Every structure is written in C-alpha cells, then in structure tokens.
Amino acid sequence: MPLIPEEPQIHESAQGPRATPASGRTAPTPRPVPGPRPAAPSRPGRPGPLRPTPPAQRTPRDAAPANPGPSGPAAPAAAASPQIQLIPASAEGALDAAEEAVDLLLESGRAPGDVLVLTTGAQHPWAEHELSFGEASYWAQHDAGDDVFYADAAVASRAATRPVVVVAVNGGPASAAATALPLAHSRAGALLIVCGDPQQINSVLGAGV
C-alpha cells in the first residue's frame, strides 16, 4: 500500500521535472510566439482585405473633405486642358496644312474617329460633298465617330468632343478665328492643332483660350 502512493509521487515528480523543463522550455513556446507573428502576416492575408477596406473608408472620409476642396477641382482642370500646337500657314495654305497634320496623326497611330477638322473659311471638299446628300446623313457620320469629320467652325458647337481637333484658319470673317478657336479648344480632349497666321492665332490664344 505505501508503494502505491510512492509510485504516483514518482510519476508526479517525474512529470514535475518534465513540466518544469517544459516551462523552462517555454522559451520554445515564445518561439512559437514568433510563429504567431508569421501567423499575423497570415492574418493580413485574411484580414488583408479588411484592412484595406477600413483605410479605404477612412481615406475617402478623411480625403473627401480635403480632396474635393483644393486638389479635387485642380486635378480635373489640369487634365481637361489640351495641348496646343501652332502650324504657321497663310489663309490659302491653311487647309493644306491641316490635311498634312491629319495625315501625320493617322500615320502616328491616331484612329480616324479621334480627329475633328474645323474650317473658318471655305469648307473642306469632303464636307461639301457629304452635305450635298443632306444634313441628316452628314451628321449621322459625325455621330458614328468612326472617321475623320470635317465641319465649318460656325457649327462647331454641334460637334462632339474628340481627342484631337484641327483648325484651319483659311479665311472667313475677321471674327471667325476669335469665335472658332475657343469652340475648338472646348472640343479638344487632348490636342488642339491650329493652322494659320501666327500673329492672328496668338492674339486669340493669348486672350485666354
């Protein structure tokens, strides 16, 4: 009978020292604690979508007051301003210069539907030809947007915005360029090319087109 309690005591003592080294080897248990640190990266894997969402929600909330104020309008304003290129030409040669500009645009990879050509004087022969079939079919080609479209600058307000607008200042009333260039500028998404007298064009562009 005394042996029986001794054996459990021996087992307990044997387990005791094993438990104490186990506790002493709890240093390996903190080593698994770095294991939970890799588990923490694994958590970013799972909560990762959750963490982006709270910051994403915080940034819109925090940035919403900041961005809409100063940076919000400033960025679109800069993006909305097209580049302007001037090609010196006489009134008689402005249309030819515009045609050469269109050819270069198409050769550089621009899609035909990206280009709108406006004239301040005589209309382009293509526009005259297409208008002979009626305005409905003429403007239907504009709406299709799959080819270069030629139009009188006087009706530029009816034309839709295109990435590139080419203006041939090929005559017309003295005020034609002053009226056409602001309209062309508002219709150009990325690039505005103006062919004509540099002094006349600069006087209009310098006025704040």
Side-chain angles (χ1 to χ4, degrees):
M1 297 299 294
L3 298 176
I4 297 169
E6 289 176 358
E7 290 178 356
Q9 289 175 355
I10 292 168
H11 291 293
E12 289 175 356
S13 63
Q15 292 174 351
R18 289 178 185 176
T20 49
S23 61
R25 295 176 184 176
T26 49
T29 48
R31 291 178 186 175
V33 175
R37 291 179 186 173
S42 66
R43 291 177 184 176
R46 295 176 183 176
L50 301 178
R51 291 180 182 176
T53 42
Q57 292 173 351
R58 291 175 185 174
T59 46
R61 290 176 184 176
D62 299 337
N67 291 339
S71 59
S81 179
Q83 294 181 352
I84 301 176
Q85 293 183 5
L86 171 60
I87 300 178
S90 63
E92 294 76 15
L95 192 54
D96 291 337
E99 283 286 1
E100 292 177 4
V102 171
D103 290 341
L104 290 173
L105 288 168
L106 299 181
E107 290 172 5
S108 68
R110 276 286 180 187
D114 287 351
V115 183
L116 170 67
V117 181
L118 303 177
T119 56
T120 62
Q123 290 193 8
H124 189 276
W126 180 90
E128 290 182 347
H129 175 74
E130 294 302 324
L131 281 169
S132 65
F133 298 102
E135 289 194 2
S137 61
Y138 170 74
W139 286 105
Q141 296 185 54
H142 164 271
D143 297 338
D146 54 4
D147 203 353
V148 181
F149 190 78
Y150 299 84
D152 192 325
V155 296
S157 58
R158 185 172 175 179
T161 300
R162 291 199 178 191
V164 183
V165 177
V166 182
V167 181
V169 185
N170 60 335
S175 60
T179 304
L181 291 180
L183 279 172
H185 186 269
S186 68
R187 294 300 183 271
L191 178 62
L192 172 62
I193 302 175
V194 186
C195 308
D197 178 27
Q199 291 184 351
Q200 180 186 13
I201 294 168
N202 285 329
S203 65
V204 176
L205 295 178
V209 172

